[in-house]
Amino acid sequence: MPILKRLAETARAPVAFTLDGAPVQALMGDTVLTAVLTHIDHVRRSEFSGGARAGFCMMGACQDCWMLLEEGGRVRACSTFIEPGMRLLSQWPAAWRTGQPTATAAAPAADVEAGS
């Protein structure tokens, strides 16, 4: 269940992206955080407790909104703008958790900062 509902700026151009393997849409100019939370209630699962995390500081300082990229790496959801074709994951794939990445799910290699 999404935790954000868009009330304004609904006329911006749509941006298609993938969230946990499902095709979804955001609007041009949305951060990854906004794009994701208009579809589900979290951006990732805590690596310690497994609890849902949806960011905390909303300015890129707390590290609580890291989101995985399907091709490896991660982005800060609060300070990275959604891009067409972005493929995001809200939890580590099972192969990554077991330490045995597959050809289609390589373990994250590097972090990507907003604007990089």
Side-chain angles (χ1 to χ4, degrees):
M1 183 68 135
I3 62 173
L4 295 181
K5 180 171 175 49
R6 187 176 308 278
L7 299 176
E9 299 184 24
T10 58
R12 288 186 277 134
V15 175
F17 71 103
T18 303
L19 177 60
D20 294 328
V24 290
Q25 283 192 339
L27 296 181
M28 186 64 69
D30 282 352
T31 62
V32 169
L33 187 70
T34 298
V36 170
L37 295 182
T38 58
H39 294 284
I40 60 177
D41 67 351
H42 63 282
V43 293
R44 69 182 184 90
R45 296 275 172 192
S46 168
E47 59 274 26
F48 303 108
S49 69
R53 307 304 298 165
F56 180 71
C57 73
M58 304 306 171
M59 63 181 193
C62 73
Q63 313 296 312
D64 202 40
C65 70
W66 283 115
M67 185 138 207
L68 296 168
L69 298 170
E70 195 173 276
E71 64 273 8
R74 57 187 184 162
V75 295
R76 284 188 183 145
C78 71
S79 60
T80 303
F81 291 103
I82 196 73
E83 295 178 14
M86 207 174 234
R87 300 183 66 82
L88 301 166
L89 299 172
S90 66
Q91 60 187 357
W92 289 83
W96 293 1
R97 289 191 302 270
T98 62
Q100 298 180 21
T102 64
T104 58
D111 298 333
V112 178
E113 292 292 327
S116 297

